[in-house]
Amino acid sequence: MNSSIFDKLYERWQSRLVLTNITFVAAGFVCQLLGYGISMLTHTALTSPMEYVTDFLLLPLGCNLLVLLLGAILLRALRDSLFWSEFIPLLQMSLILTIFAITYNQFSVLIGLLCFTLFIGAAFDRVSGLLVALFFALYEAYEVQVFREVYSREHGIPDPYASIEMVVAIVTILVAFFISRDFLKYQLRKIDILTKVYEKEVRLQAALDRDVKTGLYSATYFNNALDRAVREQPETLYLMILDLDDFKRINDRFGHASGDVVLFRLAALMRDYFSEDECPSRFGGEEFAAIVRTGTMEEMLRRCEAFRREFSAQVYPFTSEPITFSVGIASLEAGWETNKFFDYADAALYQAKKQGKNCICRWNDLMDPSGSGREASYDN
């Protein structure tokens, strides 16, 4: 599967988790501020405004902002280390929730929230990473228990269920861990299956895009590429079509293996004269084509002529006679559709065959589909 897709998904998930942490901090501060305002209006406040603002608003807010700042610094510093940067937003969440629990004496709620971080970690993590998240969760539960006992002693409030809740917290976290681990294994298995399906589709598409014998682009790929190029209606676009002269006679006289040698030679030479961007293709048995987007018509003709001369000079072990091809070229005009563009190049190729083969003809503005009119050509 394309790794960049997963990278983008992970970055989006990480950003949203960080945003969730910021939302927790902001929502907690606003809720406590509103809660104290209501208690003041109803005369049910148990502490003075200064004490409440200091202990229950500014102090936890400052600690949470420090956690967010340190997390942002670590994420920037460790952005190239996927393993460590994975845990920073989860650790941030655990610390923020712990600060809320200690400040407002809401320890029991934290058990479920710590499990929540485990489930989040399972979505994009690895099994090894989930073990680290488990360690964080157990450590946070222990830390909360310590603060809970200190809070009980300082305020003289008995807490007979502290030990029982500690056991419940550990059991709950372990259950969450095993569920998260199974979920993660399922996710990894699903990704593995999707990856294999994707790779199979890529191989299949590559097979469709390439001609099996020559390795050039296939007829399907060529037709789609030509259609896209024509739809763009660029100022410069040339279509070159070539056809091997008397190729059937070569197969009949020397066998198809010898014919294949000719095709391989032509394909190899075509790659030298036309880049991948110019879509060198085999769209028929002995028919080849290329789509060129740069240069003048004269430059295009000179390139095709050099190609034609070099190919016709090739020496083969099975014959002393030169093997040649004919070429037709068309230049796209405004408003032409794909079929018309191809037909004009094909008509130019037909004209090259009529002129005696082993030459290049181009279709120009003075020619009509019937083949009459003036044509420019390079003869051998």
Side-chain angles (χ1 to χ4, degrees), residues 109-362:
V109 177
L110 191 62
I111 297 173
L113 294 176
L114 288 174
C115 297
F116 175 66
T117 61
L118 279 172
F119 283 121
I120 291 176
F124 282 85
D125 213 345
R126 297 174 297 274
V127 175
S128 59
L130 201 57
L131 289 170
V132 178
L134 173 64
F135 170 78
F136 283 148
L138 291 174
Y139 178 76
E140 289 291 322
Y142 168 75
E143 197 177 52
V144 166
Q145 187 66 17
V146 170
F147 279 107
R148 184 173 181 171
E149 291 174 358
V150 172
Y151 185 90
S152 298
R153 285 198 302 269
E154 287 182 353
H155 293 80
I157 302 173
D159 196 356
Y161 303 106
S163 299
I164 296 174
E165 289 188 6
M166 181 65 178
V167 173
V168 171
I170 293 173
V171 172
T172 305
I173 290 171
L174 289 174
V175 170
F177 165 75
F178 287 116
I179 294 174
S180 300
R181 187 192 62 175
D182 290 341
F183 170 72
L184 177 58
K185 286 182 177 179
Y186 164 74
Q187 289 290 90
L188 293 174
R189 177 60 179 158
K190 185 167 67 173
I191 290 172
D192 181 58
I193 293 172
L194 290 175
T195 301
K196 289 177 180 177
V197 171
Y198 175 78
E199 290 174 349
K200 185 177 180 181
E201 287 180 352
V202 169
R203 288 194 298 269
L204 229 99
Q205 188 59 51
L208 291 173
D209 289 347
R210 295 286 178 176
D211 174 59
V212 177
K213 185 165 289 186
T214 63
L216 297 176
Y217 286 111
S218 66
T220 302
Y221 187 92
F222 166 74
N223 290 330
N224 292 334
L226 182 63
D227 195 47
R228 286 195 303 270
V230 172
R231 282 203 306 268
E232 293 170 3
Q233 290 287 308
E235 291 184 7
T236 302
L237 187 67
Y238 304 109
L239 173 59
M240 185 278 296
I241 302 177
L242 71 84
D243 184 89
L244 283 164
D245 298 326
D246 303 314
F247 186 67
K248 184 178 184 302
R249 182 174 59 85
I250 295 171
N251 281 329
D252 292 342
R253 285 182 60 189
F254 308 111
H256 287 279
S258 298
D260 288 346
V261 171
V262 176
L263 294 177
F264 297 151
R265 292 269 189 97
L266 177 57
L269 203 57
M270 195 169 184
R271 290 192 191 92
D272 293 338
Y273 281 90
F274 299 95
S275 67
E276 286 291 296
D277 292 338
E278 293 173 331
C279 193
S281 311
R282 180 191 182 208
F283 68 91
E286 62 269 19
E287 297 170 313
F288 296 77
I291 304 167
V292 180
R293 294 175 172 81
T294 57
T296 64
M297 175 59 84
E298 289 303 314
E299 291 171 341
M300 181 68 181
L301 288 169
R302 282 195 293 271
R303 195 205 301 194
C304 291
E305 175 62 10
F307 177 30
R308 184 192 67 79
R309 287 183 182 276
E310 185 171 351
F311 178 75
S312 62
Q314 296 283 309
V315 178
Y316 300 91
F318 50 85
T319 180
S320 59
E321 299 175 4
I323 297 175
T324 62
F325 60 69
S326 303
V327 179
I329 301 174
S331 175
L332 182 69
E333 299 291 338
W336 283 9
E337 295 182 353
T338 305
N339 290 341
K340 184 175 184 179
F341 189 31
F342 184 88
D343 288 344
Y344 278 12
D346 194 48
L349 173 62
Y350 178 73
Q351 184 64 30
K353 293 286 188 181
K354 282 176 61 177
Q355 289 182 195
K357 304 175 184 178
N358 192 23
C359 63
I360 302 169
C361 288
R362 68 180 176 90

